[in-house]
């Protein structure tokens, strides 16, 4: 059921573009290694890297919400807190779905990249049209495919160097046209002018937003490359990138927990929106980031990638991979649609470890007999 508030930010369109770039590089590397089944190897590797860090989070959330319920926390308050804590999990569901499609979408990209983009754009428009015509919001869930896959395909183009070969003038013009098209699209009452409202379910304007953001990122690629020659900047990116998924998953639970501790010990809170309040946001950001980095280091065992396959080994069969994908993506999808609750957290605490375990197993490669 699609419910009241959005989950995510408009900048998330760019995350899927960047994710598409990383996916194209990862897929081609998997194929080049000569795995018995590149698709199964890729899916197992990516889903484990994506969902293994979520295992301790779901366990923590199940225990925390269970204790809060047992001590009699008001249900409305608990629901509000749980909604905020669980909101980052929508990305796991959406990104996990796109990752499952990478082997197929890369084949489409290699055969007909522009036709693939066109079909995805048309499908996104058709889904939105049906949703608007019927008034059934759940129809929009189908756009978890076309909209985010469109952004991912742009990332494939980026990996091919297509954006790098375009002139700055052309990139700026394309970004301008894409943003300009959003004005009439969001002014006729079919889509919200606030891109945040077009995120759950994802809607057609996000595809044009992804185009614009991809072009703008390429425009700042050169200065960002120069910045990365600075050791301090390179070190910061390395630290945040190394623990990025854990930090992302834990930043809101930690923010809410730290605010709760501050309330308990009587820390004075400035008036929201005041100058002092804005200044305190910088302090809060630094504190949350520092604590999140500490948590990430403490939980680094859960951020381990799968080891590469030996020549005699293969990933689990397709039925096992399919079950594992449901176990890992399913709980995050439930959070996205039903919002976080004690029972959803329990499902995640049980199902996600099972899915990760299934994906982490290996079997003998075809034609190889273990002794």
């Amino acid at each position: 059921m699609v419910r009241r508030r959005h989950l995510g930010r408009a900048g998330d369109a760019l995350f899927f573009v960047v994710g598409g770039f990383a996916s194209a590089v990862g897929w081609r590397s998997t194929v080049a290694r000569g795995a018995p089944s590149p698709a199964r190897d890729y899916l197992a590797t990516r889903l484990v890297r994506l969902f293994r860090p979520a295992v301790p989070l779901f366990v923590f959330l199940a225990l925390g919400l269970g204790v809060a319920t047992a001590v009699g926390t008001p249900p409305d308050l608990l629901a509000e807190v749980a909604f905020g804590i669980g909101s980052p999990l929508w990305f796991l569901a959406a990104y996990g779905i796109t990752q499952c499609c990478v082997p197929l979408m890369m084949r489409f990209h290699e055969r007909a990249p522009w036709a693939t983009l066109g079909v995805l754009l048309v499908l996104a428009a058709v889904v939105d049209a049906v949703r608007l015509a019927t008034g059934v919001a759940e129809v929009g869930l189908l756009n978890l495919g076309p909209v985010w896959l469109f952004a991912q395909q742009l990332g494939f183009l980026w990996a091919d160097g297509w954006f790098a070969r375009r002139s700055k003038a052309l990139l700026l013009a394309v970004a301008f046209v894409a943003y300009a098209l959003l004005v009439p699209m969001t002014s006729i009452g079919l889509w919200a002018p606030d891109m945040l409202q077009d995120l759950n379910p994802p809607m057609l304007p996000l595809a044009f937003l992804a185009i614009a953001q991809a072009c703008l990122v390429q425009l700042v690629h050169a200065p960002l490359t120069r910045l990365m020659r600075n050791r301090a900047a390179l070190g910061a990116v390395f630290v945040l990138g190394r623990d990025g998924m854990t930090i992302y998953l834990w930043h809101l639970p930690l923010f809410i927990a730290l605010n709760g501790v501050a309330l308990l010990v009587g820390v004075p809170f400035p008036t929201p929106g005041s100058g002092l309040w804005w200044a305190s946001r910088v302090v809060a950001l630094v504190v949350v980031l520092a604590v999140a980095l500490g948590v990430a280091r403490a939980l680094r065992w859960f951020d381990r990638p799968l080891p590469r396959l030996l020549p005699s080994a293969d990933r689990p069969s397709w039925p096992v991979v399919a079950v594992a994908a449901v176990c890992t993506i399913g709980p995050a999808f439930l959070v996205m649609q039903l919002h976080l609750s004690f029972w959803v957290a329990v499902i995640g605490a049980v199902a996600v470890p099972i899915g990760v375990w299934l994906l982490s197993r290996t079997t003998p490669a075809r034609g190889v007999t273990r002794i």
Side-chain angles (χ1 to χ4, degrees), residues 63-349:
L63 291 174
L65 292 173
V67 171
T69 302
V71 299
T73 304
D76 290 344
L77 174 61
L78 190 59
E80 287 295 322
V81 172
F83 174 81
I85 291 175
S87 60
L89 292 170
W90 82 270
F91 179 76
L92 284 182
Y95 193 64
I97 290 171
T98 61
Q99 287 300 288
C100 289
C101 298
V102 164
L104 177 62
M105 299 310 297
M106 276 298 297
R107 289 188 177 92
F108 288 154
H109 171 75
E110 289 165 354
R111 295 175 183 175
W114 299 107
T116 301
L117 284 168
V119 169
L120 290 172
L121 205 61
V122 170
L123 287 175
V126 169
V127 170
D128 275 1
V130 174
R131 177 183 59 83
L132 293 167
T134 61
V136 180
E138 285 74 11
V139 172
L141 290 176
L142 296 173
N143 259 343
L144 284 170
V147 170
W148 296 135
L149 288 177
F150 180 90
Q152 181 173 264
Q153 297 296 118
L154 293 177
F156 294 170
L157 283 178
W158 196 4
D160 289 345
W162 186 90
F163 289 95
R165 293 192 297 270
R166 306 283 81 81
S167 68
K168 292 183 179 180
L170 178 60
L171 291 172
L172 189 60
V174 172
F176 176 81
V177 170
Y179 275 121
L181 288 172
L182 289 174
V183 176
M185 289 178 67
T186 57
S187 301
I188 58 179
L190 298 181
W191 295 282
D194 182 356
M195 291 292 102
L196 293 173
Q197 298 181 37
D198 293 335
L199 273 169
N200 188 35
M203 302 178 195
L204 181 63
L206 291 172
F208 291 90
L209 188 65
I211 295 172
Q213 291 177 341
C215 291
L216 293 179
V217 167
Q218 183 60 48
L219 285 172
V220 299
H221 180 268
L224 287 177
T225 300
R226 290 192 294 270
L227 178 63
M228 286 302 100
R229 294 171 186 157
N230 181 282
R231 288 189 176 182
L234 188 61
V237 170
F238 170 76
V239 170
L240 294 176
R242 177 192 60 191
D243 300 321
M245 181 53 66
T246 303
I247 292 172
Y248 172 78
L249 291 175
W250 284 88
H251 76 283
L252 276 179
L254 290 174
F255 179 76
I256 293 173
L258 289 171
N259 275 278
V261 171
L263 286 170
L264 286 175
V265 300
V267 174
F269 282 78
T271 303
S274 65
L276 184 59
W277 183 85
W278 281 110
S280 70
R281 296 307 87 194
V282 178
V283 177
L285 176 62
V286 172
V287 171
V288 171
L289 182 58
V291 176
L293 283 170
V295 170
R297 289 292 81 201
L299 298 175
R300 60 186 180 275
W301 186 87
F302 291 95
D303 203 20
R304 297 170 299 120
L306 281 183
R308 290 188 177 182
L309 287 171
L310 297 173
S312 60
D314 195 4
R315 299 299 180 194
S317 64
W318 277 115
V320 174
V321 170
V323 170
V326 172
C327 287
T328 51
I329 298 172
F333 186 85
L334 289 177
V335 173
M336 182 176 68
Q337 294 309 118
L338 304 176
H339 302 323
L340 182 65
S341 66
F342 169 68
W343 289 111
V344 170
V346 169
I347 291 172

Side-chain angles (χ1 to χ4, degrees), residues 36-54:
S37 173
R40 284 187 281 117
D41 189 12
Y42 176 87
L43 291 180
T45 301
R46 299 293 281 191
L47 289 179
V48 166
R49 193 62 188 269
L50 188 62
F51 284 95
R52 186 180 269 161

